[in-house]
Amino acid sequence: MSEQKQAQQHVVIVGAGMAGVQTAVALRGQGFTGPVTLIGAEPHQPYDRPPLSKAILLGKAEDSAFDVDFEELGVELRLGLDVTGLRAADHEIDTEAGPVAYDTLVVATGAQPVTLPGTEGVPGIHLLRTLDDAVRLGPVLERRHSVVVVGAGWIGAEFATAAREAGCAVTVVEAADRPLAGALPAEVTAPMAEWYGENGAELLTHARVRTVEPGAPGRVVLADGRELPADAVVVGIGALPATGWLAGSGIALDPSGAVTADERLRTNLPDVYAVGDCASFPSARYGRRLLVHHWDNALQGPRTVAATITGADSGPYDPVPYFWSEQFGRFVQYAGHHAGADTLLWRGDPAEEAWSVLWLRAGVPVAVLAVGRPRDLAQGRKLIETATAVDPTRAADPSVPLKAAVR
């Protein structure tokens, strides 16, 4: 794109989380000179989310604002502004403060937590998605209340870890038969289930919540009649793409509600892109469309968006998904996508502090999970990226570095 055309082109980014902020940063980094407006629904300076379930929750940090000088970047920030609709034919979005025109639109509205039916607005019931959520939960931990966590996924485990560190009594209830049921195979999550009890948190599986009764203390009543006292209830049962505001716009969504972007994160609407937690993309590497609700995707995708907008096409977006989680004194990392693997290899004993799992398809690594073995993660990720076959016997030997297990 010529500099003259760039200077006249107004890019509007909806969503001021990691994906939105990094899109603005990447545009400037790639030499884009036109006006850029970043719109965020929250009133706070744009901030990073991972510390919410750790340092901020435990009062070890006041905020996690991005270290970005928007004024110096020449990015107009419009915060505390809800976007309510998109009219693609007019190249306008509707906001509470009136319409905003765009030449290019980037949808980066992220995901919103799934709520427990019937609990909206009930006092003592918390989500953990925003800075305000973390600030509200801080006093709960300070007072060492009894806490019931609904959902034994990544966020549930991280909150339970923080609550135990703060001295709270913690019970985690999970409707499935094990933690992380939607994310990992049963044999891999079995050792993780032990981490709860080892750290003084009670994990109840096959436990569905019937009702939550507020009070001091309140009660969580399970479907089988069991009653759990709870000064506070934290719900972590997943998140869905925050795309409700796009209803009626003609934008293509997949069944999960995610915007179906193409391999360069363009949508089916002209001059509209989608990136981060709210967008799925086709992966040639894995032969399927991926929806990745993790920090690294929100960091990497914006570079592709910016390159496509500026004409410096960097090729298709096809990352090896990556995320990490700190829980119960362990650093858990995962790279890749294991659906479609035909072989699972253990590296180390899952009863020990450190171990990892490698998934192969036709002898080639497609995913790796590392618990306290960061070298396995780094080397496994590289093998996945380069589609390098390994010798299964050597790859299953934890004393052999993965890079030395190459065929």
Side-chain angles (χ1 to χ4, degrees):
M1 186 186 303
S2 72
E3 196 159 316
Q4 186 177 5
K5 188 178 178 189
Q6 271 192 30
Q8 299 165 341
Q9 187 183 16
H10 183 196
V11 176
V12 174
I13 303 164
V14 182
M18 171 63 84
V21 167
Q22 289 301 322
T23 298
V25 169
L27 280 167
R28 293 299 188 229
Q30 294 184 29
F32 181 79
T33 55
V36 175
T37 301
L38 181 64
I39 299 176
E42 293 181 56
H44 312 289
Q45 278 292 112
Y47 62 87
D48 204 3
R49 290 189 192 280
L52 297 183
S53 60
K54 307 171 185 74
I56 291 173
L57 198 56
L58 291 168
K60 296 177 182 176
E62 286 192 7
D63 65 29
S64 56
F66 290 115
D67 186 17
V68 174
D69 189 330
F70 293 99
E71 198 172 335
E72 189 178 304
L73 272 183
V75 172
E76 180 193 12
L77 275 186
R78 298 189 64 181
L79 302 175
L81 184 60
D82 272 324
V83 176
T84 56
L86 163 61
R87 288 176 287 108
D90 300 327
H91 271 58
E92 282 186 346
I93 55 171
D94 290 315
T95 78
E96 292 177 317
V100 176
Y102 66 85
D103 295 303
T104 299
L105 178 69
V106 180
V107 177
T109 40
Q112 57 198 22
V114 176
T115 56
L116 205 56
T119 62
E120 293 85 347
V122 175
I125 298 183
H126 302 263
L127 300 167
L128 182 50
R129 184 74 185 178
T130 68
L131 180 57
D132 288 341
D133 292 338
V135 168
R136 278 191 290 267
L137 275 165
V140 172
L141 269 58
E142 283 172 22
R143 292 195 290 268
R144 298 185 177 179
H145 277 172
S146 63
V147 179
V148 171
V149 181
V150 183
W154 300 112
I155 197 72
E158 289 185 5
F159 178 79
T161 299
R164 285 298 301 140
E165 192 176 323
C168 297
V170 177
T171 303
V172 181
V173 298
E174 170 57 54
D177 61 348
R178 55 198 170 87
L180 293 165
L184 294 168
E187 62 190 296
V188 176
T189 59
M192 296 174 160
E194 303 300 318
W195 299 351
Y196 288 79
E198 290 168 9
N199 287 271
E202 185 177 13
L203 172 64
L204 303 178
T205 55
H206 296 289
R208 292 191 175 275
V209 175
R210 181 192 295 160
T211 57
V212 178
E213 299 174 3
R219 291 186 306 169
V220 174
V221 182
L222 301 181
D224 62 9
R226 281 180 290 178
E227 297 183 358
L228 309 173
D231 295 302
V233 177
V234 177
V235 179
I237 53 175
L240 293 172
T243 54
W245 65 280
L246 292 165
S249 67
I251 203 164
L253 305 178
D254 69 20
S256 74
V259 178
T260 52
D262 71 6
E263 74 286 350
R264 283 170 175 76
L265 301 181
R266 298 170 296 211
T267 74
N268 63 308
L269 298 178
D271 306 315
V272 180
Y273 297 76
V275 65
D277 288 8
C278 66
S280 64
F281 57 89
S283 169
R285 184 192 309 277
Y286 291 106
R288 64 186 65 205
R289 182 167 282 276
L290 298 182
L291 175 61
V292 181
H293 278 193
H294 292 297
W295 186 90
D296 192 64
N297 177 51
L299 175 69
Q300 306 289 348
R303 295 168 192 164
T304 294
V305 171
T308 310
I309 290 172
T310 59
D313 190 351
S314 56
Y317 183 61
D318 196 5
V320 172
Y322 166 73
F323 71 90
W324 80 96
S325 177
E326 294 173 68
Q327 50 184 269
F328 305 118
R330 292 166 170 85
F331 188 46
V332 182
Q333 295 171 285
Y334 177 95
H337 184 71
H338 63 267
D342 54 41
T343 304
L344 185 154
L345 302 177
W346 287 90
R347 288 175 56 81
D349 182 349
E352 301 292 331
E353 284 293 305
W355 47 274
S356 60
V357 172
L358 187 69
W359 286 268
L360 309 178
R361 186 173 62 224
V364 175
V366 291
V368 58
L369 172 80
V371 177
R373 289 181 66 103
R375 191 169 293 172
D376 278 5
L377 189 289
Q379 294 181 10
R381 190 178 186 180
K382 197 158 282 184
L383 294 174
I384 296 165
E385 285 170 349
T386 55
T388 302
V390 295
D391 176 273
T393 304
R394 288 178 62 74
D397 183 342
S399 68
V400 175
L402 277 175
K403 66 181 181 183
V406 172
R407 275 197 187 281

